[in-house]
Amino acid sequence: MTAATHALHLAQLNVAALTHPLDDPRTAPFVELLDPVNAAADAAPGFVWRLVEEGAADATALRPMGENVIVNLSVWQTQEALWEFTYRSGHLEVMRRRREWFERHVEAHMVLWWVPAGHLPTVGEALERLADLRAHGPSPRAFTFASAYTAAEAARHGHAPHEASSPAPPPADHTWTVPLATPIAGVDPVVS
């Protein structure tokens, strides 16, 4: 690994439109799964950070894309670490049930990008990356599991900053949904 890629982590954002409000009984099973899934993520190898609302255990009350859209933003040491948590842990079962709680995606709903180790992406930064992916398709600046770029590729194309612009992340916290790169029974592939 080169010096330019050695200190890069993978940021991810995914968004989901609720079919019913979080306090609706039809959404209760999802809400009940939040704490256990977040705890599993927090303890997962390679987990770095996740967005949480101040004074809360998660980010479900943050609604930067509209009242019915929840966001999930996290940082991982490697793409492999995020993949392992997403598709080889109890998180996968939650993804298989997502049609019970979320609308079907009609455009890209998740984005990955490389950040310097220690940088905590803002919601604004993450939404800009998602908008870039939706407008221009996958690139080293904004991609998906199915169209991934390595940290080295992103650095070569000038899309991975080389210095951290935020303080080091606090101890563990995390995220919960991410789309797919390869088909897994009961889970739809990524829209890109």
Side-chain angles (χ1 to χ4, degrees), residues 99-167:
R99 295 286 171 257
E100 296 175 35
W101 313 301
F102 301 107
E103 294 176 10
R104 193 176 239 359
H105 301 291
V106 295
E107 60 186 336
H109 62 285
M110 71 83 66
V111 62
L112 305 173
W113 72 101
W114 295 101
V115 298
H119 174 73
L120 304 180
T122 65
V123 172
E125 175 186 344
L127 294 176
E128 187 276 326
R129 297 292 177 136
L130 182 60
D132 186 271
L133 177 66
R134 287 175 173 178
H136 306 290
S139 72
R141 177 175 165 67
F143 53 91
T144 66
F145 278 127
S147 61
Y149 289 82
T150 66
E153 289 170 323
R156 268 197 310 278
H157 288 89
H159 296 293
H162 299 287
E163 295 180 16
S165 57
S166 299

Side-chain angles (χ1 to χ4, degrees), residues 35 38 50-62 173:
D35 286 343
N38 285 340
R50 71 178 163 104
L51 176 69
V52 296
E53 183 181 20
E54 188 153 339
D58 58 47
T60 56
L62 301 175
D173 267 339

Side-chain angles (χ1 to χ4, degrees), residues 17-61:
L18 292 160
T19 54
H20 306 287
L22 284 177
D23 60 356
D24 187 292
R26 292 168 288 190
T27 311
F30 167 72
V31 173
E32 290 169 6
L33 290 167
L34 281 171
D35 286 343
V37 169
N38 285 340
D42 292 348
F47 170 78
V48 175
W49 170 85
R50 71 178 163 104
L51 176 69
V52 296
E53 183 181 20
E54 188 153 339
D58 58 47
T60 56

Side-chain angles (χ1 to χ4, degrees), residues 69-127:
V69 179
I70 60 174
V71 299
N72 173 317
L73 175 59
S74 65
V75 176
W76 294 78
Q77 290 176 350
T78 64
Q79 182 176 328
E80 294 76 17
L82 176 57
W83 176 267
E84 287 295 317
F85 169 73
T86 304
Y87 302 112
R88 293 200 168 90
S89 75
H91 177 267
L92 179 60
E93 189 55 39
V94 176
M95 286 181 53
R96 286 185 173 136
R97 295 183 60 194
R98 74 183 179 280
R99 295 286 171 257
E100 296 175 35
W101 313 301
F102 301 107
E103 294 176 10
R104 193 176 239 359
H105 301 291
V106 295
E107 60 186 336
H109 62 285
M110 71 83 66
V111 62
L112 305 173
W113 72 101
W114 295 101
V115 298
H119 174 73
L120 304 180
T122 65
V123 172
E125 175 186 344
L127 294 176

